Amino acid sequence: MSQKVLVVDDDQDVRSFVVTVLEENQYMPLVAQDGIEGLEMIEKEKPDLVILDVLMPRGSGIRLYRKMKTDKDLEKIPIIMFTGIALRSFLKSQKALDEFKGGKVPEPDIYLEKPVEPEELVAAIKKKLG
Amino acid sequence: MSANKILIVDDEEIIVRLLSMSLRSDGYETLAAYSGEQGLEVFKSESPDIVVTDIKMPGMDGLELLKKIKEINSEKEVIIVTGHGDIDSTITALQYGASDFINKPVRDESLAIALERAKAKIAIREKLKEYTENLEIKIAEATEEIRRKSNFQRLLIKSSNDAIVAFDHDWKVVVYNPEAARIFGETAKDVRNKMTIDDLYTPKIAKIFKNQAKIEKQENTFAWRENIINTKDGRQIPVRYNSNVLHEKGDFVGTVSFFQDLTEIKRLEKELVQSERLAAVGQTVSGLAHYVKNILIGLQGGSYVVDVGIAKNNTEKFKTGWKTIKRNIKRVGDLTRDLLTYSKQREPEFEDCQPNDIVNEVIELVKDFVGSKDILISKDFDNSIGEVVADPQTIHRSLLNLITNAIDACVEDEDTSKKHEIKVKTYMDNNNYFCFEVKDNGCGMDKDTQKQLFDPMFSSKGGKGTGLGLLVTSKLIEEHNGVIETKTSPGDGSAFTIKLPYEKANTVDIN
């Protein structure tokens, strides 16, 4: 059975792009439109990988990333950040939250800044899923 | 000058000698003649101040001598020496202008009195002459001073950079300087002393001035006002003007008004607004770049999906990708249009149109988009608005922007328990504006967001907004002399109201 990859992005255009890339590489795509829907899908479907946008209405990627990294059941699920926001801005907001909430959330090991060529995205997925 | 030289004329030598002696001892200088003819000769050569002459002499008598002397110089004093009861001669002498009479035999006292009287007359006449001469000089000087001053004032008025127009108490133009001629486009020749306030000014300005004159009892200035002057040759000149009502001893004597041409200032103001706007666009290139990047992402993703569709002969994929591309092409179009609208000066294009119909069109346009989002759009139209004179483009684009924003506010709302609704309402307000209200119960805005709402390139929508929408809308509304108002509360939603000046369409057929 092919591996399940969840795309969490509010942009319809981005979702259809990533879904196509996944299908072309024999993964099974799942989609969610925002952070809240994303968390529901993760808990229900237990995907093998999450491709996560940062800026979204209703539960941003910043929050969902934090939730997953601080949840025992979810922290093992690999995440690819896939966003228009610069890494620096993302780390800054995580650091601010670290200080506010205490503790330290690890930095994402794969952070892709849109726009991304399909090959680049595939390479990142393969790196995580083998 | 004192009258000191006296000519004595008598055919009796002894009398001449006695009188001369007596007068010389009183300090006079005397001349003697023994006949009328001789007297006249001496008078001509010596020009004495006073002549004392006997009336009865052989040859030229005293009356004849008197007449001749008066003919030569009417100002000379002639004293006539007469016998008793010679009334006829006395009257004739008076008619000829004799100054006094003394009776024979001549007594020193009466001669002295007559001489004193003659001297006093001469003195008065001289004084009078002096005064008259002085007065003439003074009048000439004063006239010159007045001429100089009025000339100076005339030059002042003429050279003023303000247009100066003054009216007399009958509202006739009495002062009209070259700058006034330039602003009003009428020559001074055609205006001064010919036109009245109603001929020169617009009815509106004329009325203001006339009312002012009625109210003000004292000389009074009123605040500077602005208006547009339509010149004779069809130019429109924006002016700033003020006026004084002139009173003299409590009576209304006229008004004077000053106009300043604001064309240049208005042009500079416009230029400034324009350059600020361009600067704002420039400043926010990064915000713009972000938006363009999102479009690029869409286009790249879309073309990849299309490629896959072609390669795999998968129509579904092809359609999905193509939709993405089209959507992003539209985004480029919208952005370009917004940028152009924002950076360019645009005059509204007024025509007869039905605001309610336009709102309907806009709602139809967004309906497809909204359908998938579970948001209800309701309408509440005031049909009394009917047909108006307005720019349909302004209404269409403003409403589209506000309704799109309202949809986004509902989509962004984290409270999913809400039944989201957008209410679009039209109505007439009490200040003769027709109004559009777009009210949503979406996420609302906090104070900071609200403050930056009309700033260029500020977007609360992350990369999905150009940051131009409300800016363009407010610019369009401003150009239409309208206002835009905002009410919002975080979590409860927002209401935007556009108010445009109401002008009923002229539906009368042109036949």
Side-chain angles (χ1 to χ4, degrees), chain B residues 315-333:
Chain B
T315 319
E316 212 43 54
K317 275 282 165 218
F318 185 84
K319 274 187 188 162
T320 310
W322 191 240
K323 247 191 210 164
T324 300
I325 289 173
K326 282 213 288 204
R327 205 166 25 240
N328 282 286
I329 288 171
K330 186 177 173 297
R331 283 164 89 187
V332 174

Side-chain angles (χ1 to χ4, degrees), chain B residues 264-397:
Chain B
E264 185 62 11
I265 292 171
K266 292 279 177 200
R267 193 183 63 77
L268 288 174
E269 271 176 7
K270 249 188 199 168
E271 236 170 47
L272 189 66
V273 169
Q274 183 79 351
S275 60
E276 274 175 0
R277 206 177 281 140
L278 290 174
V281 171
Q283 264 169 26
T284 47
V285 163
S286 81
L288 202 60
H290 194 66
Y291 185 73
V292 172
K293 192 174 78 177
N294 276 331
I295 298 175
L296 184 66
I297 293 164
L299 287 172
Q300 282 186 342
S303 58
Y304 173 76
V305 178
V306 168
D307 283 346
V308 169
I310 293 170
K312 295 278 161 72
N313 207 7
N314 180 336
T315 319
E316 212 43 54
K317 275 282 165 218
F318 185 84
K319 274 187 188 162
T320 310
W322 191 240
K323 247 191 210 164
T324 300
I325 289 173
K326 282 213 288 204
R327 205 166 25 240
N328 282 286
I329 288 171
K330 186 177 173 297
R331 283 164 89 187
V332 174
D334 290 350
L335 174 67
T336 315
R337 192 193 53 188
D338 276 357
L339 276 175
L340 281 177
T341 311
Y342 183 63
S343 55
K344 257 198 320 206
Q345 197 65 31
R346 176 182 175 273
E347 290 293 326
E349 287 161 17
F350 290 96
E351 57 184 76
D352 293 355
C353 59
Q354 305 252 19
N356 287 342
D357 288 358
I358 299 172
V359 183
N360 254 332
E361 272 170 34
V362 174
I363 291 175
E364 284 305 312
L365 205 64
V366 297
K367 234 177 194 164
D368 291 341
F369 178 56
V370 169
S372 63
K373 300 221 157 47
D374 198 21
I375 298 165
L376 186 77
I377 299 190
S378 68
K379 296 185 275 191
D380 176 10
F381 289 173
D382 179 351
N383 288 322
S384 74
I385 294 173
E387 199 170 18
V388 302
V389 180
D391 178 12
Q393 274 281 336
T394 297
I395 299 175
H396 188 278
R397 292 191 53 189

Side-chain angles (χ1 to χ4, degrees), chain B residues 48-66:
Chain B
D49 307 303
I50 302 170
V51 178
V52 179
T53 178
D54 186 16
I55 200 161
K56 279 193 183 127
M57 288 182 291
M60 184 188 284
D61 65 0
L63 290 176
E64 190 64 24
L65 176 62
L66 165 65

Side-chain angles (χ1 to χ4, degrees), chain B residues 60-77:
Chain B
M60 184 188 284
D61 65 0
L63 290 176
E64 190 64 24
L65 176 62
L66 165 65
K67 196 178 157 195
K68 288 252 160 42
I69 287 173
K70 285 290 177 183
E71 277 169 11
I72 296 166
N73 188 339
S74 65
E75 288 182 5
K76 295 294 178 183
E77 297 296 323

Side-chain angles (χ1 to χ4, degrees), chain B residues 355-356 380-388 425-436 498-504:
Chain B
N356 287 342
D380 176 10
F381 289 173
D382 179 351
N383 288 322
S384 74
I385 294 173
E387 199 170 18
V388 302
K425 187 177 157 186
T426 64
Y427 63 96
M428 287 292 303
D429 81 347
N430 297 328
N431 299 318
N432 210 32
Y433 282 97
F434 63 99
C435 312
F436 308 90
I498 290 172
K499 300 183 173 182
L500 297 175
Y502 176 74
E503 193 188 325
K504 202 173 158 50

Side-chain angles (χ1 to χ4, degrees), chain B residues 35-263:
Chain B
S35 69
E37 289 80 359
Q38 197 190 1
L40 191 61
E41 284 308 307
V42 177
F43 177 82
K44 281 178 183 165
S45 61
E46 297 291 333
S47 189
D49 307 303
I50 302 170
V51 178
V52 179
T53 178
D54 186 16
I55 200 161
K56 279 193 183 127
M57 288 182 291
M60 184 188 284
D61 65 0
L63 290 176
E64 190 64 24
L65 176 62
L66 165 65
K67 196 178 157 195
K68 288 252 160 42
I69 287 173
K70 285 290 177 183
E71 277 169 11
I72 296 166
N73 188 339
S74 65
E75 288 182 5
K76 295 294 178 183
E77 297 296 323
V78 179
I79 298 166
I80 303 291
V81 181
T82 67
H84 270 296
D86 196 357
I87 296 296
D88 288 348
S89 307
T90 309
I91 290 170
T92 313
L94 270 177
Q95 283 170 344
Y96 286 164
S99 14
D100 216 338
F101 302 90
I102 42 179
N103 288 321
K104 273 187 170 175
V106 178
R107 293 209 315 271
D108 283 351
E109 306 88 71
S110 51
L111 180 60
I113 290 167
L115 282 175
E116 280 308 314
R117 279 213 294 248
K119 275 167 69 183
K121 264 183 167 175
I122 289 170
I124 286 170
R125 193 181 297 128
E126 270 171 6
K127 265 256 157 65
L128 200 66
K129 202 171 158 192
E130 197 181 319
Y131 278 146
T132 313
E133 275 170 3
N134 268 346
L135 200 63
E136 275 169 7
I137 292 168
K138 282 200 169 120
I139 287 172
E141 280 172 2
T143 310
E144 173 59 23
E145 179 72 8
I146 288 168
R147 197 196 59 78
R148 210 172 51 75
K149 276 188 176 163
S150 89
N151 205 31
F152 184 69
Q153 279 167 357
R154 201 176 52 78
L155 282 174
L156 268 187
I157 292 171
K158 196 176 162 189
S159 65
S160 168
N161 284 334
D162 288 3
I164 302 176
V165 182
F167 301 95
D168 65 9
H169 61 284
D170 290 326
W171 298 106
K172 191 189 277 174
V173 181
V174 285
V175 173
Y176 184 81
N177 71 348
E179 176 65 6
R182 197 186 65 75
I183 287 185
F184 289 94
E186 301 269 7
T187 62
K189 195 167 64 86
D190 293 337
V191 174
R192 206 179 289 135
N193 298 318
K194 285 183 186 153
M195 284 195 179
T196 66
I197 190 165
D198 301 303
D199 304 323
L200 190 62
Y201 289 174
T202 62
K204 192 180 161 195
I205 300 182
K207 200 176 156 197
I208 291 173
F209 282 11
K210 284 181 174 175
N211 284 343
Q212 196 72 15
K214 264 185 242 162
I215 299 161
E216 301 301 340
K217 286 278 165 273
Q218 300 296 317
E219 222 169 87
N220 203 296
T221 26
F222 66 76
W224 286 94
R225 296 163 195 237
E226 285 190 18
N227 211 316
I228 302 285
I229 301 283
N230 294 303
T231 66
K232 194 191 178 189
D233 48 347
R235 286 169 299 142
Q236 286 203 322
I237 299 189
V239 291
R240 179 173 179 265
Y241 66 95
N242 98 357
S243 165
N244 273 353
V245 178
L246 307 173
H247 287 93
E248 202 175 280
K249 291 172 186 152
D251 289 334
F252 169 64
V253 290
T255 64
V256 59
S257 37
F258 307 91
F259 293 83
Q260 293 173 348
D261 186 344
L262 297 183
T263 310

